[in-house]
Amino acid sequence: QKEVEQDPGPLSVPEGAIVSLNCTYSNSAFQYFMWYRQYSRKGPELLMYTYSSGNKEDGRFTAQVDKSSKYISLFIRDSQPSDSATYLCAIFTGGFKTIFGAGTRLFVKA
Amino acid sequence: AAGVIQSPRHLIKEKRETATLKCYPIPRHDTVYWYQQGPGQDPQFLISFYEKMQSDKGSIPDRFSAQQFSDYHSELNMSSLELGDSALYFCASSPLAGGRQFFGPGTRLTVL
């Protein structure tokens, strides 16, 4: 079992839809969770960074962590065609190591 | 705001040649990470440095080596290049040795 599981998609939604992206992880000791957005042929861009359980909101983006279920989510409200990208969840495991999910490809249709 | 700088942005080499990739972290970031990303794959961790010392090692081939210099920039040296080394190579930096990593634009290496 991989330490971080993420459905690679692709996920296609109409403009204005609410998007839900999810990852599960295996180690209950993990505490730092991140979401990155990666456009084609570009470096991953840090979107959200959360510690422990709960919600964190930044504009149209909300990151949610449920440590009891070992489940993390990223919600995008009022999705735009410019949100079309690959979204990677990432977990900092301590020390110097971060584990990335496989990334979910999102397409937002105008 | 300053970002991570990588050079070159594109590199074309032939099999068995050597390549050197450079990374300049965000100022005051003391940790540097190197990743390899193949087409349609997530970034695979290669190696990291904290305060100029190797801090962690991932799936880095023995043909590759890296170091971090006194000015905190890092270089990834790749020898005896193989076709399978063709990928995007990202450098990331973080403050205080953990957590949020900020990625550079990547170097696209093509081995012919």
Side-chain angles (χ1 to χ4, degrees):
Chain A
Q1 181 190 8
K2 293 183 71 173
E3 290 185 281
V4 179
E5 299 273 6
Q6 183 177 11
D7 186 340
L11 178 62
S12 183
V13 301
E15 184 176 359
I18 296 176
V19 175
S20 174
L21 303 165
N22 310 292
C23 288
T24 59
Y25 61 95
S26 59
N27 191 330
S28 58
F30 294 159
Q31 295 189 71
Y32 296 88
F33 308 94
M34 294 163 280
W35 283 96
Y36 286 86
R37 177 176 62 195
Q38 186 175 24
Y39 293 111
S40 181
R41 297 176 178 240
K42 302 288 187 184
E45 172 194 7
L46 181 64
L47 278 180
M48 301 287 284
Y49 176 80
T50 56
Y51 171 72
S52 196
S53 285
N55 291 0
K56 183 175 182 180
E57 189 173 320
D58 184 1
R60 296 185 295 111
F61 298 90
T62 299
Q64 186 176 79
V65 176
D66 182 348
K67 292 195 73 180
S68 63
S69 304
K70 291 182 278 189
Y71 195 84
I72 59 174
S73 301
L74 178 70
F75 299 98
I76 307 175
R77 291 184 298 281
D78 187 25
S79 56
Q80 304 294 310
S82 59
D83 295 328
S84 299
T86 297
Y87 290 81
L88 300 137
C89 63
I91 301 177
F92 176 62
T93 63
F96 297 90
K97 190 173 180 183
T98 295
I99 302 173
F100 287 86
T104 299
R105 294 185 67 192
L106 172 67
F107 296 96
V108 181
K109 300 172 292 185
Chain B
V4 176
I5 297 171
Q6 289 187 249
S7 68
R9 295 294 309 277
H10 303 274
L11 191 58
I12 299 175
K13 292 285 185 178
E14 296 196 354
K15 281 171 48 177
R16 292 180 288 277
E17 284 192 322
T18 297
T20 298
L21 279 53
K22 296 185 179 183
C23 169
Y24 298 85
I26 293 171
R28 292 180 294 283
H29 282 197
D30 52 17
T31 307
V32 167
Y33 309 79
W34 285 98
Y35 292 87
Q36 177 191 61
Q37 187 175 32
Q41 298 181 359
D42 55 298
Q44 296 296 309
F45 171 69
L46 293 177
I47 196 167
S48 63
F49 292 88
Y50 168 66
E51 284 291 343
K52 294 155 279 185
M53 300 287 289
Q54 180 182 310
S55 52
D56 200 0
K57 198 171 182 180
S59 50
I60 184 169
D62 292 340
R63 299 177 290 108
F64 294 5
S65 65
Q67 57 182 324
Q68 186 178 31
F69 295 86
S70 58
D71 64 351
Y72 293 98
H73 95 272
S74 179
E75 295 184 3
L76 177 66
N77 298 292
M78 310 159 70
S79 62
S80 302
L81 288 169
E82 301 173 357
L83 296 177
D85 296 329
S86 295
L88 268 170
Y89 289 84
F90 290 108
C91 170
S93 72
S94 70
L96 302 178
R100 290 165 283 182
Q101 294 180 28
F102 297 85
F103 282 76
T107 294
R108 178 170 294 280
L109 172 67
T110 302
V111 181
L112 302 176

